[in-house]
Amino acid sequence: MQEAIATFFSIPELVELLSVFLRSQELARLSATSSALDTVCSPILWRYFSYKNSVDNKQKQVRIEQLKGLVRRGRHTRSFHADALILVLYVNGISETLDDSSSTTSTTTRPAWLPAPDPKSTLQNVRFSSMTRLTRLVCSMFINAFKDPSEGIQAIEQFDSSNKFRQLCWLLELNPCLTYVTLSALEPKTTENNRILARAIASLSRLKHLRVEFFASAGPGPWIEGIRTLFFSCPVSLQSLELRTYHSSGPLVSLAGLSSSSSPLPAISLEATLNPIVDAPIMRDGPLHHLKELQLPILTAMPLKDYSRILEQCPNIDTFSVVPLVDECVPIVAELTPSVKEYCKHIRHVRINRTTSWWYDWDPYHILDGLHSPLESLQIEFYDEGGEVDNKDHAISSFHRHSATLKDVRLLSCEKLSDEVIRSILGTCVVLERLELSDRSDRQAVANLSELVAYKWVCTYLKHLKMTIDWGSFSEPTLSHLPAYYLRRSNSPPRPLSEQDKELWEQLEGLYRQIGSLVRLEVLDLSVYFGRMNRNPYQPIVPADEWSQLLATYDTSFRSPDRLPLLLSLGTHASGRHGYLSWLSGLKNLKELRGSVHLGNPENAMTLKQPELEWMVENWPKLRVLELLPYQDEPPVLVDHEDYAHVNWVMKRKPGLDLRRRWRSPGPPWDGLWSKAELSGLIDASYEK
């Protein structure tokens, strides 16, 4: 029987099909049963190698054994994902067996520019075989990994990371089939290292996607030259290129000694001062005709003519991303407009992501003036519309100009978005499919309820909607912060409504009607602004002198006052008003409901019961995320709380439904769920007012 099973599972095509359904642990157990199964399972099990270090001693040993498994099975690896520690250990392991004086042209021969490894810097008695068939490489060279390598890898006598940059370059040259490369925290430090990297990248004739993040702890000079050299050495097969730059303390802020008048580095001068042992970088003859996506860091140290030369080499890009590193770099974004207009005539997607949130007056819409093609997506991060530069009219005209083609608009971490700008999006962009409007640090709303309902939304194709709304407050707050419209004792008459509250209800109904009409909606993420600078009434008071608890004044706990009035209710309440959940019955494609819908708010805890969950199961068949519960590392399968049997019911009825709220800053040590006794106490406190 065992021989028959082994023969059955030894069919490579069968194992390939089973790998879709089997986890790596199951494949590992299967391969351990016999040598025949090991032969057919190893290519699949070791195809993707991802090393994640762990502080847990038990997991450490598992990871060490996984690393040692590369000795025999490294030839099967096609995807290698590791940090610099693993990179150095691996390269040293394959270097130690090489003959320095060998004249062979084998790809495993150590080049002259790569020093021999320290004989004490490798794993004891481990000699790796070279991986030469990689198609994907992701490697971080973050320096903190080398503080105490013995904590992550046992059996290390000594660790020398001085040559890690060149060892990475050699690993690139050993794998000419690479198509996807991501390198982060690179520190070239010298011109020679820049050219070695450029030569390694140029040798990858099949490369399609390249992402390089320079770590500028050694000063701006080497990595600015590295950006220039690397770009003009990229192979013509490249389809996406992302270049980023970081400083050791965050975004680069020290550009002393360099100005915008610096002369560019001509491509033809790259070979002028090469070290004899380093081959010259392979310079590209023509432009990158296959390049579709380009991201550039905006630096004051690079002159504008250098950016023009780069854009001239990218005639067919359709996605253009710029990253101003500091506020002084922001005006350069507008200065790029003529070059974009001259050289890049096919741009349809624009992303402008600042890495800092300092106040600075700037108009990110200038770059849109250089577009020839209709704009399909726009993403802007850290944008303040309310500065001294009034660019509201420019923003409105930009959205109107591209209203017939814009499908994706994301204005993230922004401040003071005017109602006119939001209206120009919701009221004119007829093919919009995704809209995200997020405020900076949840300190203010990006949309006002009265303005949102003052016009008809024309974006009937919307699939993803995210925004923070300020809907105001009712005129009769209670002592316990419960809404007065919800409270009613048995046999008591409905509470009368003031004119202000009647108008507010009409506006809320208008909002719910707008949302309910978006029948293609898949993600609904509505957060409510309630004045987060004011202390959350449902959070414990913390001593003011405890700096670690400073964020307690914000919405850091699960229990908070933010909610959408009666949106999660089907019943009739104190004012005689019926819940509005049934108004969303047309959202048959809804997959995710996020935001201010959690059970930490007492109104949601009182109104969202068994009938509401049964309604959701029946009317939202595709629902997979419902943010009701506090965040946990793993999706919950059971709530150990006697008052939440209805939540357990929905988890059993829809297995796989994730009920966790997104991770928020650590709050008080409670689960955040209200008990029936606590809710009754809030009602009693309201009536005692």
Side-chain angles (χ1 to χ4, degrees), residues 600-613:
N601 178 269
E603 179 185 336
N604 293 340
M606 293 183 202
T607 58
L608 185 62
K609 295 297 184 181
Q610 185 80 16
E612 282 75 16
L613 291 178

Side-chain angles (χ1 to χ4, degrees), residues 534-552:
N534 299 322
R535 195 186 71 79
N536 185 342
Y538 305 124
Q539 273 188 282
I541 299 177
V542 296
D545 58 345
E546 294 186 16
W547 177 258
S548 61
Q549 297 293 333
L550 178 63
L551 290 179

Side-chain angles (χ1 to χ4, degrees), residues 181-195:
V181 175
T182 295
L183 310 174
S184 56
L186 289 186
E187 295 181 273
K189 294 186 178 179
T190 65
T191 298
E192 188 175 306
N193 281 348
N194 279 323
R195 292 164 180 169

Side-chain angles (χ1 to χ4, degrees), residues 480-482 536-540 557 559-561 600-602 670 674 682:
S480 62
H481 298 273
L482 279 176
N536 185 342
Y538 305 124
Q539 273 188 282
S557 73
R559 291 186 177 181
S560 61
N601 178 269
W670 54 19
W674 295 88
L682 291 179

Side-chain angles (χ1 to χ4, degrees), residues 100-347:
D100 294 343
S101 61
S102 174
S103 59
T104 179
T105 58
S106 170
T107 57
T108 57
T109 301
R110 184 172 55 253
W113 44 262
L114 180 63
D118 189 321
K120 295 184 179 181
S121 64
T122 59
L123 284 171
Q124 293 178 349
N125 305 317
V126 175
R127 301 295 180 266
F128 297 104
S129 59
S130 57
M131 290 184 292
T132 57
R133 301 178 182 178
L134 293 179
T135 59
R136 183 184 182 96
L137 174 64
V138 179
C139 188
S140 172
M141 309 298 285
F142 191 53
I143 195 79
N144 283 354
F146 303 101
K147 285 188 175 181
D148 188 2
S150 62
E151 292 182 0
I153 301 294
Q154 297 175 0
I156 295 181
E157 298 177 1
Q158 184 178 341
F159 188 82
D160 179 14
S161 64
S162 59
N163 296 316
K164 66 180 185 296
F165 186 90
R166 297 194 176 192
Q167 288 174 323
L168 172 63
C169 295
W170 187 36
L171 182 60
L172 291 171
E173 290 193 355
L174 286 175
N175 291 274
C177 296
L178 280 167
T179 60
Y180 183 100
V181 175
T182 295
L183 310 174
S184 56
L186 289 186
E187 295 181 273
K189 294 186 178 179
T190 65
T191 298
E192 188 175 306
N193 281 348
N194 279 323
R195 292 164 180 169
I196 292 173
L197 176 63
R199 178 182 180 276
I201 295 297
S203 67
L204 306 178
S205 60
R206 302 182 185 181
L207 188 63
K208 295 182 179 180
H209 308 282
L210 175 62
R211 172 179 175 146
V212 179
E213 299 179 354
F214 289 96
F215 195 63
S217 62
W223 52 261
I224 289 180
E225 180 188 359
I227 290 177
R228 296 164 171 161
T229 308
L230 180 62
F231 178 83
F232 289 101
S233 300
C234 288
V236 294
S237 61
L238 207 61
Q239 296 179 5
S240 70
L241 174 62
E242 183 175 343
L243 299 175
R244 300 179 66 91
T245 305
Y246 292 98
H247 192 260
S248 56
S249 59
L252 181 68
V253 295
S254 177
L255 297 174
L258 293 171
S259 66
S260 58
S261 62
S262 303
S263 59
L265 181 65
I268 59 175
S269 69
L270 293 177
E271 304 177 19
T273 58
L274 284 178
N275 189 302
I277 68 170
V278 181
D279 294 335
I282 302 174
M283 304 309 300
R284 189 177 60 255
D285 294 332
L288 297 170
H289 287 292
H290 298 287
L291 192 67
K292 297 298 182 181
E293 300 182 19
L294 174 65
Q295 175 169 309
L296 293 174
I298 303 302
L299 314 166
T300 57
M302 283 184 66
L304 192 61
K305 61 177 63 178
D306 274 14
Y307 288 109
S308 297
R309 289 180 58 212
I310 290 176
L311 292 176
E312 185 180 5
Q313 294 282 309
C314 309
N316 296 321
I317 57 172
D318 62 7
T319 302
F320 184 42
S321 304
V322 292
V323 184
L325 293 183
V326 291
D327 289 337
E328 289 77 8
C329 304
V330 167
I332 301 178
V333 176
E335 296 172 4
L336 289 176
T337 301
S339 298
V340 171
K341 192 171 186 177
E342 181 178 0
Y343 301 117
C344 307
K345 303 183 184 298
H346 305 286
I347 295 178

Side-chain angles (χ1 to χ4, degrees), residues 60 90 210 247 259 319 411-412 450 458 463 503 507 560 571 637 674 677:
K60 281 181 187 178
Y90 168 74
L210 175 62
H247 192 260
S259 66
T319 302
L411 306 181
L412 309 175
S450 60
V458 299
K463 295 181 179 180
E503 182 181 0
Q507 294 175 357
S560 61
V637 294
W674 295 88

